[in-house]
């Protein structure tokens, strides 16, 4: 605890690197996965292919991908870009499955009503279906963000910056208080990001909080795992 | 492409597979860390998930625990464990178990809690005890989600077991981490390729298990005989007096020779 208190400025700097490495991929992944997921949603075959591709990508261990990426794209080994590209791949893989599932969760009668009042297919997607799928999408985003934060921490083993460097430094210097400080800082970072995404989701989709309180129109969600 | 060539040359050379630091032994070590951690996670997470899913009490605690454990950095726990308890199987097991508990707990809990309450109530109405409602109705229906949790847990553990090598332990991470340390990147690539293959293999096996466990399809029955259920039915439905005619279907023999 004392280590964290006396090294607050270093912790802050490391946390910013950590956030940059783990959250830029979330934004890039969202930009790719939402249009892609909405596109494959209505095509059974494309959706099956994208789900399969996504689960294969997701199976590749992150450390392995960090190391293997420089062979596929023109970056140097141990470059920050590898981490960002690798985590973007994971984020996209996870979200490209979550987006169609989130769209599935939109109730049929709402969709039919939108068709009945004359929305075009694109307008319906943008104004009705995507906004209504926000609560399910937010749940997926929270998992992605927390997973990315822990993957960046593991990356310190192969020399990636961020709060994980306190683990490797503390281990080499035999200082357990530095490791404990790193655990606390990483944990707090993940919790803060998780809560912020949760609150953003509540703000953008205020009805989800009301539903959770009254528990009325409960949708049966597939397990978050 | 040069590194890749070197890496595959290394993998396809027989002498690199034998010996204490050979590929075969490293794979076994990696699998050992993985299986021990998955087993311990299952022993902790499945009973808790079953109880909370069945009673439907404490779901808030589950969500909070799962989220908090997900945020806990595995590498930090592992290295702290090595500093506190020394080298050995204990630090990686603890660190990887903390990684495996959240998906297993979430899967088990969600699987049981998502079973249609009508189905469980119907089972109660037929006179099943709570234990039988859980084991005969809820668990079979929840099996795909429970095994799905096991699949996620195994995948994360087998991928992260790589970091055990950083704490001077074995496993496939040795190639990856030593390769980076001595700047022999083809060695790191050997580790990366082998861990990926191992993860794909385990994931494929567990995906097949999830597929086979889908309730009502009878896929599981082909491999796993379920004699206990028939015995129970025969015992409970045992007639007083004469044997009823099951319209051609024979009831299975019970312990008493029925």
């Amino acid at each position: 605890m004392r280590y964290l208190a006396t090294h607050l400025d270093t912790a802050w700097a490391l946390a910013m690197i950590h956030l940059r490495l783990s959250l830029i991929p979330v934004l890039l992944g969202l930009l790719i996965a939402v249009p892609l997921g909405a596109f494959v949603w209505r095509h059974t075959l494309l959706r099956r292919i994208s789900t399969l591709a996504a689960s294969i990508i997701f199976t590749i261990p992150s450390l392995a991908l960090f190391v293997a990426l420089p062979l596929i794209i023109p970056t140097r080994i141990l470059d920050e870009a590898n981490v960002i590209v690798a985590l973007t791949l994971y984020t996209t893989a996870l979200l490209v499955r979550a987006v169609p599932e989130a769209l599935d969760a939109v109730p049929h009668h709402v969709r039919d009503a939108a068709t009945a009042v004359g929305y075009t297919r694109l307008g319906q997607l943008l104004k009705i279906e995507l906004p209504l799928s926000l609560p399910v999408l937010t749940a997926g985003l929270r998992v992605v963000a927390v997973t990315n934060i822990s993957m960046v921490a593991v990356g310190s083993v192969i020399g990636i910056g961020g709060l994980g460097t306190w683990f490797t430094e503390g281990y080499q210097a035999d200082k357990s208080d530095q490791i404990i400080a790193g655990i606390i800082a990483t944990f707090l970072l993940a919790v803060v990001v998780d809560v912020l995404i949760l609150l953003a989701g509540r703000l953008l989709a205020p009805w989800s909080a009301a539903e959770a309180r009254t528990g009325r129109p409960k949708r049966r969600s597939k397990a978050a795992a | 492409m040069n590194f890749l060539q070197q890496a595959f040359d290394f993998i396809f050379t027989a002498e690199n597979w034998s010996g204490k630091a050979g590929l075969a032994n490293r794979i076994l070590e990696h699998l050992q860390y993985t299986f021990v951690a998955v087993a311990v996670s299952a022993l902790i997470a499945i009973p808790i998930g079953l109880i909370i899913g069945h009673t439907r009490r404490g779901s808030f605690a589950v969500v909070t625990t799962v989220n908090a454990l997900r945020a806990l950095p595995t590498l930090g726990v592992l290295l702290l464990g090595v500093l506190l308890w020394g080298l050995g199987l204990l630090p990686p097991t603890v660190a990887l178990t903390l990684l495996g508990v959240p998906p297993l707990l979430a899967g088990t809990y969600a699987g049981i809690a998502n079973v249609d309450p009508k189905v469980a109530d119907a089972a109660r109405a037929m006179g099943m005890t709570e234990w039988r409602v859980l084991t005969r109705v809820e668990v079979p229906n929840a099996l795909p989600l429970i095994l799905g949790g096991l699949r996620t847990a195994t995948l994360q553990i087998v991928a992260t077991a790589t970091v055990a090598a950083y704490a001077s332990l074995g496993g496939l991470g040795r190639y990856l981490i030593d390769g980076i340390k001595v700047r022999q990147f083809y060695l790191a690539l050997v580790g990366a390729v082998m861990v990926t293959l191992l993860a794909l293999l385990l994931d494929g096996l567990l995906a097949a298990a999830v597929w086979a466990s889908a309730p009502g399809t009878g896929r599981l029955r082909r491999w796993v005989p379920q004699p206990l259920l028939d015995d129970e039915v025969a015992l409970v439905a045992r007639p007083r007096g004469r044997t009823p005619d099951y319209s051609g279907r024979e009831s299975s023999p019970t312990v008493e020779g029925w």
Side-chain angles (χ1 to χ4, degrees):
Chain A
M1 252 348 228
R2 202 181 307 140
Y3 190 91
L4 187 60
T6 51
H7 293 75
L8 266 182
D9 42 347
T10 323
W12 182 255
L14 288 174
M16 286 304 114
I17 299 176
H18 208 114
L19 274 184
R20 190 176 69 220
L21 288 175
S22 46
L23 293 191
I24 290 177
V26 173
L27 292 179
L28 291 176
L30 259 182
L31 285 179
I32 302 169
V34 169
L36 192 63
F39 179 71
V40 301
W41 176 42
R42 287 296 191 191
H43 303 80
T44 318
L45 182 66
L46 284 183
R47 184 169 170 178
R48 215 169 272 170
I49 293 173
S50 70
T51 308
L52 185 70
S55 57
I56 290 176
I57 290 176
F58 212 70
T59 312
I60 304 172
S62 55
L63 271 179
L65 197 56
F66 293 158
V67 173
L69 260 185
L71 296 171
I72 306 161
I73 54 166
T75 51
R76 285 178 300 116
I77 286 185
L78 309 184
D79 192 342
E80 253 187 24
N82 296 322
V83 181
I84 291 185
V85 173
L87 292 183
T88 305
L89 270 176
Y90 287 125
T91 310
T92 312
L94 210 141
L95 287 179
V96 98
R97 264 190 298 187
V99 169
E101 273 170 25
L103 290 170
D104 283 340
V106 176
H108 276 284
H109 58 265
V110 176
R111 201 170 288 151
D112 291 345
T115 314
V117 294
Y119 274 100
T120 60
R121 283 191 70 170
L122 187 66
Q124 193 174 331
L125 184 70
L126 293 178
K127 289 186 184 150
I128 310 287
E129 284 156 349
L130 278 178
L132 279 180
S133 65
L134 266 175
V136 184
L137 201 60
T138 319
L141 266 186
R142 290 173 62 192
V143 175
V144 169
V146 173
T147 312
N148 280 1
I149 288 175
S150 70
M151 279 182 183
V152 171
V154 168
S156 61
V157 164
I158 55 166
I160 290 160
L163 285 166
T165 47
W166 275 8
F167 302 147
T168 48
E169 279 175 25
Y171 179 68
Q172 272 149 11
D174 202 3
K175 286 201 294 202
S176 51
D177 53 341
Q178 190 176 6
I179 298 184
I180 293 172
I183 293 177
I184 294 170
T186 316
F187 182 79
L188 284 180
L189 192 69
V191 170
V192 167
V193 168
D194 190 41
V195 170
L196 283 181
I197 297 177
L198 174 75
L199 289 180
R202 289 266 167 91
L203 211 64
L204 288 170
W207 64 90
S208 61
E211 277 179 14
R213 248 197 325 274
T214 59
R216 229 179 322 153
K218 239 186 188 161
R219 274 189 289 273
R220 183 159 305 203
S221 62
K222 288 178 194 164
Chain B
M1 280 293 117
N2 198 14
F3 287 141
L4 204 59
Q5 186 75 49
Q6 277 177 291
F8 278 109
D9 280 350
F10 185 92
I11 292 173
F12 288 115
T13 307
E15 52 259 38
N16 293 331
W17 282 79
S18 56
K20 209 169 171 306
L23 274 166
N25 195 42
R26 291 296 183 215
I27 291 175
L28 283 181
E29 283 171 345
H30 204 96
L31 284 175
Q32 187 198 357
Y33 301 150
T34 306
F35 284 134
V36 171
V38 170
V40 177
S41 322
L43 280 178
I44 297 170
I46 291 183
I48 297 177
L50 289 180
I51 293 168
I52 294 177
H54 181 75
T55 59
R56 290 168 199 251
R57 281 196 197 120
S59 55
F60 178 75
V62 170
V63 176
T64 316
T65 316
V66 165
N67 282 345
L69 282 181
R70 273 204 185 115
L72 206 63
T74 314
L75 181 65
V77 176
L78 172 73
L79 296 183
L80 185 66
V82 173
L83 288 191
L84 291 182
W85 308 312
L87 293 176
L89 204 54
L90 186 62
T93 304
V94 170
L96 295 174
T97 298
L98 290 176
L99 190 68
V101 164
L104 262 167
L105 186 59
T108 310
Y109 164 75
I112 300 286
N114 271 353
V115 172
D116 194 339
K118 281 180 203 147
V119 176
D121 284 344
R124 283 190 191 101
M126 293 201 309
M128 283 196 179
T129 58
E130 287 303 309
W131 174 250
R132 273 201 197 158
V133 172
L134 181 67
T135 54
R136 293 272 181 254
V137 178
E138 288 174 333
V139 168
N141 277 304
L143 211 51
L145 278 183
I146 298 177
L147 289 177
L150 185 72
R151 183 181 168 193
T152 314
T154 309
L155 192 60
Q156 290 187 356
I157 288 177
V158 81
T160 315
T162 318
V163 298
Y166 192 82
S168 316
L169 294 157
L172 286 167
R174 281 258 68 93
Y175 294 100
L176 215 151
I177 284 160
D178 293 350
I180 300 246
K181 209 178 275 170
V182 298
R183 302 253 145 195
Q184 294 289 324
F185 292 119
Y186 78 95
L187 264 183
L189 204 60
V190 168
V193 169
M194 295 311 287
V195 176
T196 306
L197 287 180
L198 206 58
L200 283 172
L201 184 73
L202 287 180
D203 192 55
L205 285 176
L206 284 166
V210 172
W211 175 83
S213 72
T217 55
R219 287 166 186 158
L220 213 54
R221 238 164 234 270
R222 218 172 296 161
W223 296 291
V224 187
Q226 296 176 322
L228 272 172
L229 189 59
D230 289 346
D231 274 359
E232 274 173 27
V233 171
L235 208 62
V236 171
R238 189 166 56 169
R240 313 223 166 96
R242 58 195 172 80
T243 320
D245 180 34
Y246 283 118
S247 62
R249 273 182 65 196
E250 281 179 274
S251 63
S252 71
T254 64
V255 206
E256 295 160 68
W258 267 80

